[in-house]
Amino acid sequence: NAGVTQTPKFQVLKTGQSMTLQCAQDMNHEYMSWYRQDPGMGLRLIHYSVGAGITDQGEVPNGYNVSRSTTEDFPLRLLSAAPSQTSVYFCASSFQGANGYTFGSGTRLTVV
Amino acid sequence: AQTVTQSQPEMSVQEAETVTLSCTYDTSESDYYLFWYKQPPSRQMILVIRQEAYKQQNATENRFSVNFQKAAKSFSLKISDSQLGDAAMYFCAGSRSYNTDKLIFGTGTRLQVFP
């Protein structure tokens, strides 16, 4: 099915561990973004990309890295997990943004 | 800078009634897009409706419609004939129109629907 695929759906990490959240889309969308959702704070933009090889920081980029080597994939790396990174993470993609973004099903991450 | 404000953390409505969710979008841009997203308990983000700021006509999608007041920076969502399946978190979001690389969200409104 066409759409945005995020893996894993759930993850528990220990403080200091690193991991990569995977995001792939098969709609040939140029724009991709990562958000984190915390209670009472809505969705906050972490990093975004407007095409392969181009990334930029959003509102809350600290502690996260991204790269965009292909149009389809946009992984999010947690360098050294901290309890403050406990959250639900969403990946989203769009053709040009005007028609809105399509979201993945999210990853619930707990850092202990 | 863009800011999206949703001042109603929670709202409730009786089945078959009408409810309006509020949102304000502050930006220095003259053209932009506005969106309402629904997030049911499944966590999936679902696009409900979109509005282009330069268009005079308010957008409508079945039971969902918006009341866009550009001068007041207001972008409210009206849900008519509310159904139990409308119960969810609703997020307002906006992006500039000439380079829609970033979508900025409000903090959300939780809608409860009572039978």
Side-chain angles (χ1 to χ4, degrees):
Chain A
N1 292 336
V4 179
T5 302
Q6 281 186 244
T7 55
K9 293 197 184 311
F10 301 94
Q11 183 70 49
V12 178
L13 285 181
K14 293 183 179 178
T15 298
Q17 286 184 317
S18 62
M19 79 159 294
T20 299
L21 306 184
Q22 301 292 343
C23 176
Q25 52 90 10
D26 58 1
M27 299 172 284
N28 202 32
H29 285 172
E30 288 297 322
Y31 291 7
M32 295 187 76
S33 301
W34 276 102
Y35 292 86
R36 60 177 289 173
Q37 182 179 12
D38 302 292
M41 304 190 76
L43 280 78
R44 292 181 292 167
L45 184 64
I46 304 172
H47 285 285
Y48 63 100
S49 169
V50 297
I54 306 170
T55 64
D56 206 345
Q57 296 181 351
E59 192 182 351
V60 287
N62 292 341
Y64 307 95
N65 267 0
V66 292
S67 60
R68 184 101 179 266
S69 56
T70 67
T71 299
E72 294 77 22
D73 300 299
F74 191 42
L76 177 73
R77 296 182 190 83
L78 279 70
L79 309 173
S80 177
S84 61
Q85 293 178 305
T86 293
S87 187
V88 178
Y89 291 85
F90 285 97
C91 178
S93 74
S94 176
F95 175 59
Q96 285 183 335
N99 291 322
Y101 278 69
T102 300
F103 282 77
S105 56
T107 296
R108 180 175 292 279
L109 176 68
T110 302
V111 182
V112 297
Chain B
Q2 311 161 65
T3 57
V4 182
T5 303
Q6 293 180 252
S7 58
Q8 305 158 315
E10 288 191 5
M11 292 283 285
S12 61
V13 65
Q14 202 115 27
E15 209 175 357
E17 297 295 310
T18 296
V19 64
T20 299
L21 309 184
S22 301
C23 173
T24 58
Y25 180 67
D26 197 359
T27 178
S28 56
E29 308 288 341
S30 57
D31 283 326
Y32 45 90
Y33 296 108
L34 296 171
F35 307 89
W36 278 98
Y37 279 85
K38 171 185 178 181
Q39 187 181 45
S42 67
R43 200 169 72 192
Q44 186 65 45
M45 294 288 289
I46 302 164
L47 178 63
V48 174
I49 198 166
R50 63 185 285 273
Q51 173 79 40
E52 297 169 40
Y54 67 89
K55 285 193 174 178
Q56 302 276 356
Q57 189 171 4
N58 288 326
T60 298
E61 289 286 343
N62 300 313
R63 298 183 294 106
F64 299 87
S65 61
V66 300
N67 182 7
F68 177 51
Q69 303 289 329
K70 191 170 185 180
K73 305 180 191 296
S74 171
F75 180 59
S76 59
L77 174 69
K78 186 172 84 170
I79 306 174
S80 304
D81 186 26
S82 296
Q83 300 175 0
L84 295 178
D86 295 334
M89 282 290 289
Y90 286 82
F91 292 98
C92 177
S95 68
R96 53 191 178 181
S97 63
Y98 67 91
N99 188 8
T100 53
D101 52 359
K102 289 187 288 189
L103 192 59
I104 305 300
F105 283 85
T107 53
T109 296
R110 180 172 302 281
L111 178 66
Q112 293 181 301
V113 181
F114 294 104

